[in-house]
Amino acid sequence: MLDQDFVYTLLLTGKLALVTTTILIIIGIPVAYWLAYSQYKLKVIAEALISMPIVLPPTVMGYYLLVLFSPENGLGSFFQKVFDVRLAFSFTGIVIASIIANLPFMIQPLQNGFLSLSDELRQVSYTMGKSRITTLFKILLPNIKPSIITGIALTFAHCIGEFGIVIMVGGNIPKETRIASVAIYDEVQALNFEAANQYALVLFVLSFLILLIIFSINRKFKIKYF
C-alpha cells in the first residue's frame, strides 16, 4: 500500500503543474500573439524579460520573489492586507512563482507557431471582415495546434521538476508546498534513499512520456522548437 504522504505529495505536484499550465495557456496566447505580430520596437525588452527564467539561476529568482512576497514588502503586503492571503511559504505563492518561471516554456513555442504561419492568413481574414479575435481563434490557433501542445507539454514537464524557485518561495511544508522535487531533496538529506528513488522514478517516467509526446508531434509535423 502506498504511503499517504507520497501520494499527497505527487497529487500536490500534479495540482501545481495543472494550475500553472492552465493559467499560462490563457496568458500565453495573447502575449505570444502580440510578440509575433506587434511592430513595437521595444518589444525586445518584453521578450528578454519573459526569457529570463531560462538563464537566471532559479535560486536568484526565488530569492527576489520571496522578498517581494514577504508580508512586509510589495506584493506580499498587498495580498495580505487586501485579500488576507499569504504568498510566502504558501501554495498560492508557489503557483505565482511557477507561472513566472514557466513563462518562456509556454510563450516561446506559441510565438514560434504564429511566426511560422504565412501572414496572408491574417490579411485574407481581415479582408473578409473578420475581427482580430475571430481571426485568432478561428484561423490562427487551429493552424498552430502542434505549438500549443508543445507549449503545454513543456510547461507541465518543467513545472513538475521545478525545485529552486519552489524551495525558496514555498519552503518544505507538507501538504502545502512540499512537491516531489522538494521531497526528493528532503529524503536524500534524511538518507532515505528508497523514498527518494520512488519520487525520482515517477518524475523520470513522466518527463520521458512528455518528451516522447513532444518529439512525436515534431516528427509528425516536421517542426522543431529546440
Side-chain angles (χ1 to χ4, degrees):
M1 186 175 180
L2 291 175
D3 181 79
Q4 285 189 345
D5 288 338
F6 176 76
V7 173
Y8 198 96
T9 298
L10 291 180
L11 289 176
L12 187 65
T13 304
K15 179 182 177 182
L16 175 64
L18 184 61
V19 171
T20 299
T21 304
T22 301
I23 293 174
L24 275 177
I25 192 65
I26 296 172
I27 295 173
I29 289 174
V31 173
Y33 177 89
W34 179 74
L35 290 175
Y37 298 118
S38 173
Q39 300 300 316
Y40 185 54
K41 293 182 178 180
L42 295 181
K43 74 175 182 180
V44 65
I45 297 176
E47 290 178 316
L49 288 173
I50 289 170
S51 299
M52 280 289 283
I54 295 177
V55 297
L56 193 66
T59 49
V60 174
M61 182 173 292
Y63 169 74
Y64 283 117
L65 287 176
L66 180 61
V67 172
L68 182 64
F69 290 173
S70 170
E72 288 77 34
N73 296 302
L75 193 63
S77 176
F78 174 78
F79 269 79
Q80 189 78 50
K81 293 177 181 178
V82 177
F83 303 108
D84 193 28
V85 173
R86 177 171 53 90
L87 293 184
F89 304 109
S90 70
F91 182 76
T92 302
I94 64 173
V95 166
I96 296 175
S98 183
I99 289 171
I100 295 172
N102 286 283
L103 276 172
F105 298 97
M106 178 65 76
I107 292 176
Q108 288 186 358
L110 293 175
Q111 183 182 356
N112 290 338
F114 285 128
L115 291 173
S116 70
L117 299 177
S118 172
D119 200 46
E120 291 181 1
L121 283 174
R122 286 197 311 145
Q123 301 307 325
V124 170
S125 180
Y126 296 156
T127 301
M128 295 176 65
K130 304 298 183 181
S131 67
R132 290 190 176 185
I133 296 296
T134 301
T135 300
L136 173 62
F137 285 97
K138 296 293 186 179
I139 306 297
L140 302 181
L141 290 182
N143 282 285
I144 62 165
K145 286 180 181 178
S147 300
I148 295 173
I149 296 172
T150 299
I152 291 173
L154 281 176
T155 301
F156 193 91
H158 186 261
C159 189
I160 63 174
E162 183 57 60
F163 174 76
I165 288 180
V166 173
I167 195 70
M168 291 293 291
V169 174
N172 185 14
I173 304 173
K175 299 185 178 181
E176 187 167 0
T177 64
R178 189 175 190 254
I179 63 173
S181 58
V182 175
I184 292 173
Y185 175 81
D186 193 38
E187 298 296 354
V188 170
Q189 290 292 100
L191 302 181
N192 189 358
F193 298 111
E194 182 179 352
N197 181 62
Q198 289 178 333
Y199 287 115
L201 182 60
V202 171
L203 294 189
F204 177 86
V205 172
L206 280 176
S207 298
F208 176 77
L209 291 175
I210 291 171
L211 285 174
L212 193 62
I213 292 172
I214 293 173
F215 286 117
S216 296
I217 293 170
N218 290 346
R219 183 184 179 90
K220 180 179 179 180
F221 291 91
K222 297 181 180 179
I223 55 178
K224 292 183 179 182
Y225 295 104
F226 304 101

